[in-house]
Amino acid sequence: MRVCVLSGGIGGARFTEGLRSTLGPDDQITVVANTADDIWLFGLKICPDLDTVMYTLGGGIDDERRWGRAHETWNAKEELLAYGVQPDWFGLGDRDLATHLVRTQMLSAGYGLSDVTRALCRRWDTGVELLAMSDDRVETHVLVDDDESDSGQRAIHFQEYWVRLRASVPVRGVVVVGLESATAGPGVVDEIEQSDLVVVAPSNPIVSVGPIVGVAEIREALRRTTAPVVGVSPIVGGAAVRGMADQLLSGLGVEVSAAGVGRHYGARDRGGLLDAWLVDSGDEAEVATLREAGVEAHARPLLMSDDALTTALAADTLEVGLALRDRPRP
Ligand code: GDP
Ligand code: CA
């Protein structure tokens, strides 16, 4: 069994932990992670989603924060503050810093981001293959109001919107810089084509999954593949589970509901992404409207509140996916 997961950070990493528990040693999991959250700071290349997946599956994540390293200290950050250098809002831990140093050094030596990711993962026993969606520089910028600019708007890096502003200002648009010309990371297209199942993780639809499926080669591979594409809603009961995805979705005119995101992705046989969409049991009433939009939806418990529930969600996702694979094609 070969499963390919399209993932952001926290939601995708947690789901993949469940998948790893439910699959056996002969099965293969590949995670294609979003790299559009990446940012250069203090001369360092930081890849939050790749690192969240690597630390989570490698057992090095801080369990409370669910990002960054366990047993972290913040000496370097304090020293930077003492020098008064900006930005002062990004969480740069000492242990985490080592990852960014290794990555930046390897990139400067001419390795691609995928090679670097493989090298970093050698230290962590993740049990999965972790791939960057692209080796090209792709960065999500958010358009926000700015009275001082002629256009009345200003583009800021997604991390500034998310971390410094805590998603507290209205979103007027999202621009993923570099996406149009980005090529898929090495191995990504093959994996999507050869997998038995592709899962769209319960990740942020706009800034995590959006950039991955926005890479032209990936979008085409997802259209072509004979593997079913099954998605898991990150929206439960009309709100994002832990987090601030609501403002981004509503700012871009996507209804903040499991049905809204399902319709946003669309049915694969109507030019969209999904063969099936999992919504929470409490959102069962939305299944009918999704079916009207051509999206086959199933209601299952979607909250990954503990390991058992997370594993059960992964098992449900596999079951829905395998039933689709075995179904005769028209
Ligand atoms: P990020 O890159 O770290 O923001 O992480 P992701 O994009 O992978 O995931 C963020 C999304 O995960 C949020 O929009 C949440 O709604 C979703 N999420 C977090 N916990 C859960 C959960 O227990 N169940 C489901 N269905 N979604 C979750
Ligand atoms: Ca992210």
Side-chain angles (χ1 to χ4, degrees), residues 52 77 111 118 149 209 269 276 295 313:
T52 295
K77 188 176 185 208
Y111 290 96
R118 196 175 313 113
S149 124
V209 178
D269 59 13
V295 178
L313 171 58

Side-chain angles (χ1 to χ4, degrees), residues 24-81:
D26 295 334
D27 301 313
Q28 191 186 314
I29 302 172
T30 302
V31 178
V32 176
N34 171 45
T35 57
D37 287 9
D38 295 7
I39 186 167
W40 284 89
L41 288 180
F42 310 111
L44 300 174
K45 171 80 162 176
I46 301 173
C47 303
D49 288 357
L50 282 170
D51 288 350
T52 295
V53 174
M54 179 173 79
Y55 293 155
T56 301
L57 296 168
I61 198 85
D62 182 286
D63 279 329
E64 287 283 300
R65 273 184 276 121
R66 294 222 149 264
W67 59 267
R69 294 279 285 107
H71 315 296
E72 189 58 284
T73 53
W74 307 91
N75 296 302
K77 188 176 185 208
E78 280 164 23
E79 289 298 306
L80 288 164
L81 276 177

Side-chain angles (χ1 to χ4, degrees), residues 141-157 160 165 169-175 251-252:
H141 291 193
V142 177
L143 294 177
V144 298
D145 292 333
D146 180 5
D147 294 341
E148 281 164 29
S149 124
D150 291 343
S151 65
Q153 289 182 350
R154 184 164 69 101
I156 57 175
H157 193 288
E160 185 175 356
L165 298 172
V169 298
V171 174
R172 304 304 181 195
V174 167
V175 182
L252 298 181

